[in-house]
Amino acid sequence: MNAVEPRAPGEPVRADGPGLPDDGWRRLHPATPLLRGGVVLVAIAVWAAVQLRDVWVTILLGDVLGEVGRVPEDPAARWVFSNVGLALLIVLVVIIGILVIGWLSWRLHSYRVTADVVEEREGIIWRKHRRARLDRIQGVNVERPLLARIFGAARVEISVAGENANIRLYALGSATANALREELLAAASSARAARATEVGTDPGDSVDAARPGVISQRLQELTSPELDSRLSTPDSLVRMDLGRLLGSTALSLALPILMGAAVIVVPVLLTGQWGVVFLVVPGVIGFGAYAIRRVTRSLRYTIAGTEHGIRVGFGLLSTTNETLPAGRIHAIEVTQPLLWRPFGWWSVRINRASRSTRDGAAGQAATTILPVGDTDDVVRVIELIVPGLDLRGALGGAGAASGHAASLDAQVPEYVTSPPRARVFRWWSWRRNGYHLTDEAVLLRKGSVWRTLTIVPFARVQSVALSSGPIARATRLRRVSVHTVMGPIVPSLGAIDVVDAEHLAREAESRTLVAMVSQR
Amino acid sequence: MTEPNPVPADGEWHGVAPSYLWVDLAGQALTLVVSAGATVIAPLASGVAWLWALPAAFVVIFGTSMLLTPRRVRAIGYRLREDDLVFRRGIMWHRQVAVPYGRMQLVDLTQGPIARMLGLAELRFVTAAAATAVTIPGLPRDEAATLRDRLVALAESRRAGL
């Protein structure tokens, strides 16, 4: 398992293996304290320098300007001015203290990967020792904030099922991060499949080989979309089109903006008070920031199947690259906002077992697996996630080539839909509201105005519920819920005829059991 | 798939102990006393007659609910099938959930004060999905403990990850 043994840059090669004193523990990138807290420090220093400018000027240039003895007005500045020695001493002590703490926290923060677990130790006073089983890894995310990219560093986040149970290693050298990811994913997928996967192609060599010079290496890293272009084997399944990205962002913002505008314009017309207009400024800034963020994040979006799982990449300046080993996706939802329909665009979200509060723009990186794509893209992405799911058949074989609204919402006979009497509850969508069962997954199609298609692989279903309220029972309608791990998607289908609903629940139960047996 | 402790996977519906009725009623009575008591203060203090409508409404609502409680308690049931547990409850708001044994992450046994006096306990099943929400109330303590041990053994033998 430990065939790949990357070492932090600058660290001497050392023996690895159980029983040895240093037992495979590795440290993070030496620039870690600077990357984690350095920016704040520099900002404080700059702020202090600006604030106390008078003092510096007087102390340094007082003689030249002939202003000795002029006491600044600011009380803080006055104090510094009258206690120069003491002030310098305090500054020195603070700087040394910060350096020592930074160095200590770097010294004490280490991680290691053994045959079954990945472990992390950190903390100076409150020590934390976190250990995660390799076969429980839900995904490995390599994130490279802009600052870290300049230093050739990256953040590796190892997702484990649970709320904020992730192991976050920041910062690692790019090559180390890359090798660690390969190692973990190989271990994670082979621990599950119990087969000897070829563990990488020894990226350790590539680290040494790719050393023509630090500058050119950094440049190469900055420009290449992936950390190591050799390892991002297949091409992205979906090519993100700038026009489509801009158009979809604009359209998805159009409705809220129109509503906001209406809220503002009406009072202005009624009262004639133009001052109200300024109330929208924060809103405009917010929408603008959201739009810019969405576009820059999604511009270099990639998705591809690798030998260890699905790899999704985002980001223009700060990049993230997440790899999800097979079977870590619990539910998939394909949605189409109303205004996207003329263009045939959809977006795809997923439920996954690990959650982090630090996930980017509205959790985009974590749960949005395709920000916008046409029907063809959607079909390809879903085939990647649930291999063997005959989606084209399920979608009515509309070929998707038409590129327009057809296919995903086509009136397919295979869907069991609501009976006409459900019209009371599903005014527009009762004809669409339905389910389709395959051997691998259940497909729930809903909504006529806001269209969604929810796909839950049986191998990930936790439980199945059949429920009804008094009105539903009077009309012989039922709701079926398929429970998965918590996430943005809550798979459930209401207003289904009692016979169909019982059939759906029964089939979902038995197919889940079958899927679980083959999973064991 | 041989278990050391085979479950009578009889597929029969098992009800809860009839004495669970008192636990349920006591809970509702307490809620009624608290909510009616809180809303009674306003009409008493102000003397405005129509303010009595609120506590009166609470009494009517909880009174009806308490009258229906015996039926509701009888409607609670669970069933052990070969590979999953089925739980149902509710008459007006009916809900039936099937949980495969292999998906159970843990089984909780809890006892409230009144349930303890009556020798009852409740079992709560936790899966990776919060929505599963299966709690079997009103089981005699011994039955609850045996059931828990069986289910834990079953979950162990059929474990299938998340």
Side-chain angles (χ1 to χ4, degrees):
Chain A
M1 204 54 56
N2 286 341
V4 186
E5 208 51 78
R7 52 202 158 77
E11 240 186 335
V13 186
R14 55 185 191 190
D16 279 306
L20 288 174
D22 52 0
D23 220 7
W25 286 97
R26 308 169 206 161
R27 289 211 185 87
L28 304 184
H29 194 283
T32 300
L34 185 66
L35 290 171
R36 290 178 83 151
V39 190
V40 180
L41 268 188
V42 171
I44 290 175
V46 169
W47 176 82
V50 171
Q51 286 298 306
L52 300 175
R53 191 189 51 215
D54 279 2
V55 186
W56 305 127
V57 171
T58 324
I59 290 171
L60 296 176
L61 304 171
D63 292 338
V64 184
L65 299 175
E67 283 184 357
V68 184
R70 192 183 75 97
V71 179
E73 316 243 320
D74 184 12
R78 197 183 304 145
W79 185 86
V80 172
F81 188 70
S82 47
N83 301 282
V84 179
L86 192 55
L88 282 178
L89 191 67
I90 290 174
V91 169
L92 205 66
V93 166
V94 167
I95 288 177
I96 289 175
I98 288 169
L99 285 178
V100 167
I101 290 174
W103 182 79
L104 262 181
S105 75
W106 173 76
R107 277 289 295 191
L108 295 173
H109 193 173
S110 55
Y111 68 98
R112 74 169 170 183
V113 183
T114 68
D116 324 297
V117 291
V118 49
E119 290 174 275
E120 180 197 20
R121 294 190 300 199
E122 70 164 331
I124 299 171
I125 296 170
W126 285 275
R127 297 283 288 161
K128 184 177 86 174
H129 189 152
R130 190 168 254 190
R131 187 185 284 226
R133 292 180 52 83
L134 289 180
D135 58 351
R136 290 295 155 107
I137 289 176
Q138 301 289 318
V140 180
N141 191 5
V142 175
E143 207 178 323
R144 296 196 298 162
L146 187 57
L147 186 72
R149 283 179 84 181
I150 293 167
F151 282 88
R155 173 190 290 141
V156 175
E157 186 164 0
I158 303 158
S159 322
V160 185
E163 192 75 50
N164 271 328
N166 297 352
I167 290 182
R168 212 175 273 126
L169 301 173
Y170 182 53
L172 294 175
S174 287
T176 318
N178 210 14
L180 177 65
R181 170 173 62 185
E182 291 309 308
E183 184 181 354
L184 288 172
L185 288 171
S189 52
S190 66
R192 271 230 168 169
R195 68 185 155 80
T197 356
E198 193 202 338
V199 183
T201 42
D202 197 4
D205 277 350
S206 74
V207 175
D208 295 328
R211 227 166 236 172
V214 177
I215 302 290
S216 62
Q217 192 190 340
R218 290 280 183 282
L219 277 177
Q220 194 200 338
E221 281 170 7
L222 265 175
T223 46
S224 73
E226 245 299 8
L227 288 179
D228 187 342
S229 47
R230 272 191 324 119
L231 292 169
S232 63
T233 25
D235 279 337
S236 175
L237 282 177
V238 174
R239 202 155 297 284
M240 188 50 73
D241 181 60
L242 181 62
R244 181 192 297 165
L245 185 58
L246 292 175
S248 64
T249 308
L251 287 177
S252 60
L253 287 177
L255 270 185
I257 286 176
L258 281 179
M259 282 194 300
V263 168
I264 288 302
V265 165
V266 171
V268 166
L269 290 181
L270 289 180
T271 62
Q273 296 277 315
W274 283 95
V276 185
V277 172
F278 289 104
L279 291 179
V280 280
V281 171
V284 169
I285 292 172
F287 276 128
Y290 169 80
I292 289 168
R293 208 184 146 85
R294 194 185 126 95
V295 170
T296 53
R297 279 185 67 81
S298 307
L299 199 56
R300 284 177 75 182
Y301 162 84
T302 57
I303 181 166
T306 68
E307 67 173 308
H308 301 312
I310 301 161
R311 182 168 299 173
V312 184
F314 274 109
L316 189 62
L317 297 174
S318 300
T319 65
T320 71
N321 240 293
E322 173 130 54
T323 313
L324 302 161
R328 263 65 162 192
I329 292 174
H330 291 247
I332 309 150
E333 188 174 73
V334 188
T335 53
Q336 181 175 64
L338 181 62
L339 293 176
W340 286 12
R341 193 181 306 173
F343 306 93
W345 294 334
W346 303 81
S347 76
V348 181
R349 291 189 301 173
I350 55 166
N351 267 8
R352 36 185 306 199
S354 67
R355 276 180 308 285
S356 162
T357 48
R358 293 227 343 213
D359 283 324
Q364 195 185 42
T367 57
T368 304
I369 206 164
L370 174 65
V372 57
D374 61 24
T375 318
D376 264 342
D377 297 336
V378 170
V379 168
R380 275 199 298 270
V381 167
I382 288 175
E383 273 169 0
L384 182 67
I385 301 173
V386 195
L389 178 68
D390 187 11
L391 195 63
R392 279 174 206 274
L395 295 172
S402 57
H404 275 267
S407 48
L408 272 173
D409 65 278
Q411 187 64 45
V412 188
E414 287 115 300
Y415 276 93
V416 179
T417 52
S418 296
R421 64 177 183 279
R423 201 177 295 167
V424 190
F425 306 105
R426 299 284 184 278
W427 291 2
W428 316 109
S429 68
W430 64 274
R431 265 185 245 269
R432 270 182 54 77
N433 193 60
Y435 67 87
H436 173 74
L437 288 160
T438 74
D439 287 341
E440 297 84 23
V442 57
L443 281 67
L444 308 173
R445 190 179 61 175
K446 286 181 290 188
S448 177
V449 179
W450 281 274
R451 302 180 164 183
T452 66
L453 174 68
T454 308
I455 302 168
V456 188
F458 287 122
R460 301 269 83 82
V461 171
Q462 301 295 321
S463 53
V464 181
L466 181 70
S467 56
S468 56
I471 304 171
R473 213 169 29 263
T475 46
R476 292 177 50 76
L477 295 174
R478 295 291 183 275
R479 167 174 293 276
V480 175
S481 307
V482 183
H483 301 142
T484 72
V485 296
M486 205 194 289
I489 309 162
V490 183
S492 165
L493 184 72
I496 291 290
D497 184 82
V498 59
V499 177
D500 295 334
E502 278 169 4
H503 173 75
L504 170 59
R506 209 167 39 241
E507 284 302 314
E509 286 159 18
S510 61
R511 290 179 196 204
T512 300
L513 291 173
V514 171
M516 281 172 66
V517 170
S518 59
Q519 207 180 333
R520 222 172 290 158
Chain B
M1 230 61 61
T2 50
E3 296 94 45
N5 182 10
V7 172
D10 45 10
E12 297 283 312
W13 282 106
H14 297 277
V16 304
S19 54
Y20 172 68
L21 174 66
W22 304 111
V23 181
D24 199 323
L25 284 180
Q28 292 186 55
L30 188 68
T31 323
L32 172 60
V33 168
V34 170
S35 47
T39 45
V40 127
I41 297 169
L44 277 184
S46 64
V48 180
W50 60 265
L51 279 177
W52 286 102
L54 210 55
F58 277 123
V59 170
V60 170
I61 291 170
F62 278 98
T64 329
S65 166
M66 283 160 92
L67 283 179
L68 291 173
T69 303
R71 274 189 69 202
R72 204 162 44 223
V73 169
R74 278 199 300 277
I76 302 173
Y78 68 93
R79 188 180 167 196
L80 298 171
R81 295 196 298 197
E82 200 180 333
D83 293 305
D84 56 359
L85 174 131
V86 187
F87 173 73
R88 70 169 180 203
R89 78 177 302 165
I91 300 169
M92 188 99 101
W93 302 96
H94 183 78
R95 184 168 185 268
Q96 179 171 322
V97 191
V99 192
Y101 300 129
R103 293 290 195 224
M104 285 175 192
Q105 301 292 325
L106 65 94
V107 184
D108 254 357
L109 192 152
T110 51
Q111 274 186 307
I114 297 166
R116 187 164 24 224
M117 277 193 282
L118 296 166
L120 298 179
E122 67 177 34
L123 281 187
R124 188 171 68 99
F125 304 103
V126 179
T127 69
T132 301
V134 169
T135 305
I136 307 181
L139 295 171
R141 201 174 319 169
D142 295 343
E143 189 186 332
T146 353
L147 187 59
R148 176 195 55 192
D149 296 344
R150 277 176 187 168
L151 288 170
V152 169
L154 276 173
E156 195 50 51
S157 70
R158 284 151 208 232
R159 163 119 9 257
L162 282 182

